[in-house]
């Protein structure tokens, strides 16, 4: 139980007044960095939809360059994958052909030696 | 005795494509692509409303046509495969599907980059975008089934059916803008406003170079497919010879 309510109320009120006065003083002292924008905002009386040209400007040149770069990356990657597969299958063909030639030779020997 | 290890009666599939012919085609394609880059970046003017990002169009539209051609080839060859069981048709179908997927990826990569500038968003629920995505996913499924299903008759038949079903989506992509009131531009299709003469030259060059690139990649893929079939045939021949050797050994164990 608070034994000195009047003193508490007075203390809280005093703190509130000091805070209010000091923040107001600070706000007044804060310099406005962009005076033009500040005045524009201050004079604004309503919200209006932006025009297309006022909206976010996207860098079209960068997007176009990314598109063409990705195109070339995809094509070169595709060609590299095809070349790798072609080299692999080419090696496999050489290997299988060699095995076939060996087997043909063995077959010939076996057929000659067969009674 | 040195025998030709090539199995008898094999290898009559696919278009004849010599290595030298492909090299010449690769050279012409490279030159055409460089000329197209010059025409797109130097010769063609910037578009008044969209600015420089409109230049994506010269690669985007020909790639879309190349993707459609690849998918139509895949579907047509799939029909032939299902009717006649012709292995060459299957090789052509797979080559068409793979090459079509590459160009469809180019379309779905370049389109959103243009849309970011023109529409303010990379992707929207635009009918043509969604249907093109469905087209890509269908043919990606084709490739995944081919890869995971192994090279069996059943896999080839399932994939043939997938290709035929997938290609039905192309007319929907084509007419989606008019039919469902999409926002996709119709500059050279429908009632579009046309192109400035310098832009027409750049677009024509784009069509020629992408057509050459498509032909090159498709021919290389068909050649690769033919070699894969040849390898399978040779492996079968290998197996037959092994059995013959075993049989001869059983007849004369001293050999």
């Amino acid at each position: 139980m608070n034994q000195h309510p009047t003193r508490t109320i007075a203390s809280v009120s005093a703190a509130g007044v000091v805070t209010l006065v000091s923040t107001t003083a600070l706000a007044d002292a804060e310099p406005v960095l962009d005076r033009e924008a500040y005045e524009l905002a201050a004079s604004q009386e309503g919200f209006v939809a932006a025009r297309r040209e006022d909206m976010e400007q996207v860098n079209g040149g960068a997007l176009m360059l990314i598109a063409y770069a990705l195109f070339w990356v995809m094509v070169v990657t595709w060609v590299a994958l095809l070349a790798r597969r072609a080299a692999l299958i080419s090696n496999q063909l050489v290997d299988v052909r060699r095995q076939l030639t060996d087997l043909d030779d063995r077959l010939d020997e076996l057929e000659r030696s067969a009674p | 005795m040195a025998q030709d290890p090539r199995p008898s009666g094999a290898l009559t599939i696919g278009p004849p494509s010599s290595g030298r012919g492909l090299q010449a085609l690769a050279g012409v394609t490279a030159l055409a692509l460089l000329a197209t880059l010059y025409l797109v970046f130097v010769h063609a003017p910037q578009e008044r409303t969209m600015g420089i990002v409109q230049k994506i169009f010269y690669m985007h539209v020909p790639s879309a046509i190349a993707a459609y051609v690849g998918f139509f080839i895949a579907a047509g060859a799939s029909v032939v495969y299902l009717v006649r069981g012709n292995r060459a048709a299957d090789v052509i179908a797979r080559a068409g599907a793979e090459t079509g997927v590459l160009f469809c990826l180019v379309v779905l990569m370049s389109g959103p980059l243009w849309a970011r500038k023109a529409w303010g968003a990379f992707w929207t629920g635009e009918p043509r975008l969604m249907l093109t995505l469905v087209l890509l996913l269908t043919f990606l499924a084709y490739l995944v089934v081919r890869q995971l299903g192994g090279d069996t008759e059943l896999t080839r038949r399932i994939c043939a059916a997938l290709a035929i079903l997938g290609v039905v989506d192309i007319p929907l992509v084509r007419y989606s803008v008019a039919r469902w009131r999409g926002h996709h531009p119709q500059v050279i299709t429908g009632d579009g406003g046309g192109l400035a003469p310098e832009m027409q030259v750049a677009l024509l060059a784009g069509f020629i170079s992408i057509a050459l690139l498509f032909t090159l990649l498709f021919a290389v893929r068909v050649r690769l497919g033919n070699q894969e079939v040849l390898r399978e045939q040779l492996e079968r021949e290998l197996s037959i010879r092994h059995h013959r050797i075993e049989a001869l050994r059983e007849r004369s164990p001293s050999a």
Side-chain angles (χ1 to χ4, degrees):
Chain A
M1 184 100 184
N2 194 343
Q3 292 180 345
H4 306 285
T6 314
R7 195 181 296 175
T8 305
I9 290 167
S11 303
V12 170
S13 302
V17 168
V18 168
T19 306
L20 191 66
V21 169
S22 57
T23 45
T24 308
L26 276 173
D28 280 344
E30 185 74 19
V32 176
L33 295 175
D34 187 347
R35 174 63 61 183
E36 197 178 331
Y38 175 80
E39 283 171 359
L40 192 69
S43 65
Q44 190 166 355
E45 291 177 348
F47 292 134
V48 182
R51 290 177 302 164
R52 185 181 169 81
E53 55 267 30
D54 294 335
M55 289 167 67
E56 176 195 13
Q57 291 298 305
V58 179
N59 189 343
L63 291 171
M64 184 207 60
L65 286 177
I66 291 169
Y68 275 91
L70 282 176
F71 169 77
W72 280 98
V73 166
M74 286 169 77
V75 169
V76 168
T77 307
W78 198 269
V79 169
L81 288 174
L82 279 179
R84 211 180 76 168
R85 282 165 76 180
L88 185 71
I89 195 115
S90 187
N91 288 339
Q92 287 173 341
L93 277 175
V94 168
D95 190 44
V96 175
R97 278 182 168 139
R98 188 184 45 75
Q99 286 183 50
L100 268 176
T101 310
D102 291 348
L103 284 181
D104 281 338
D105 291 345
R106 280 178 67 188
L107 261 175
D108 281 344
E109 280 174 26
L110 283 170
E111 279 169 351
R112 272 200 298 268
S113 63
Chain B
M1 184 178 112
Q3 274 188 349
D4 181 8
R6 178 175 290 193
S8 57
L11 281 185
T12 50
I13 59 170
S17 53
S18 69
R20 193 163 289 182
L22 284 178
Q23 281 174 7
L25 181 59
V28 172
T29 305
L31 287 176
L33 284 168
L34 288 174
T36 303
L37 286 180
Y38 171 79
L39 289 169
V40 167
F41 290 109
V42 181
H43 182 72
Q46 280 194 31
E47 207 277 328
R48 190 175 52 192
T49 313
M50 291 184 196
I52 198 166
V53 80
Q54 178 269 345
K55 288 178 188 279
I56 288 176
F57 164 82
Y58 304 112
M59 167 254 285
H60 178 79
V61 176
S63 297
I65 303 297
Y68 296 163
V69 170
F71 294 149
F72 271 121
I73 288 173
S78 294
V79 170
V80 174
Y81 178 73
L82 286 177
V83 173
R84 295 189 182 172
N86 185 345
R87 193 65 199 277
D90 178 65
V91 168
I92 290 170
R94 191 170 183 179
E98 279 190 16
T99 316
V101 162
L102 169 69
F103 285 98
C104 199
L105 281 170
V106 168
V107 171
L108 283 179
M109 170 274 301
S110 57
L113 288 168
W114 168 86
R116 178 69 184 90
K117 175 74 177 170
W119 294 342
F122 285 110
W123 192 265
T124 67
E126 171 73 25
R128 183 170 279 187
L129 270 62
M130 300 306 288
L131 288 168
T132 307
L133 182 63
V134 168
L135 184 67
L136 175 70
L137 292 176
T138 307
F139 279 91
L140 276 178
Y142 175 102
L143 298 186
V144 169
V145 173
R146 288 301 297 238
Q147 191 66 31
L148 299 181
D151 199 13
T152 63
E153 171 72 13
L154 180 64
T155 306
R156 289 195 288 267
R157 291 179 76 84
I158 289 171
C159 287
L162 256 178
I164 295 163
L165 287 173
V167 90
V168 173
D169 190 41
I170 293 178
L172 298 178
V173 174
R174 168 72 181 78
Y175 294 109
S176 59
V177 181
R179 190 81 189 145
W180 291 300
R181 296 178 185 178
H183 300 298
H184 195 282
Q186 288 184 288
V187 177
I188 57 170
T189 57
D191 300 324
L195 284 170
E198 300 94 330
M199 292 179 175
Q200 286 177 10
V201 172
L203 182 63
L204 181 66
F207 272 121
I208 291 170
S209 57
I210 295 286
L212 285 169
L213 182 64
F214 175 88
T215 309
L216 175 69
L217 296 177
F218 177 73
V220 169
R221 186 61 189 86
V222 169
R223 196 176 191 222
L224 199 60
N226 286 344
Q227 287 180 329
E228 283 168 352
V229 174
L230 172 62
R231 185 195 58 199
E232 281 171 32
Q233 290 172 340
L234 290 176
E235 282 171 350
R236 270 200 300 275
E237 290 285 321
L238 209 60
S239 175
I240 290 167
R241 279 163 174 74
H242 273 299
H243 283 112
R244 278 177 63 191
I245 288 173
E246 288 299 314
L248 278 170
R249 275 187 177 156
E250 279 172 17
R251 265 197 287 164
S252 55
S254 59

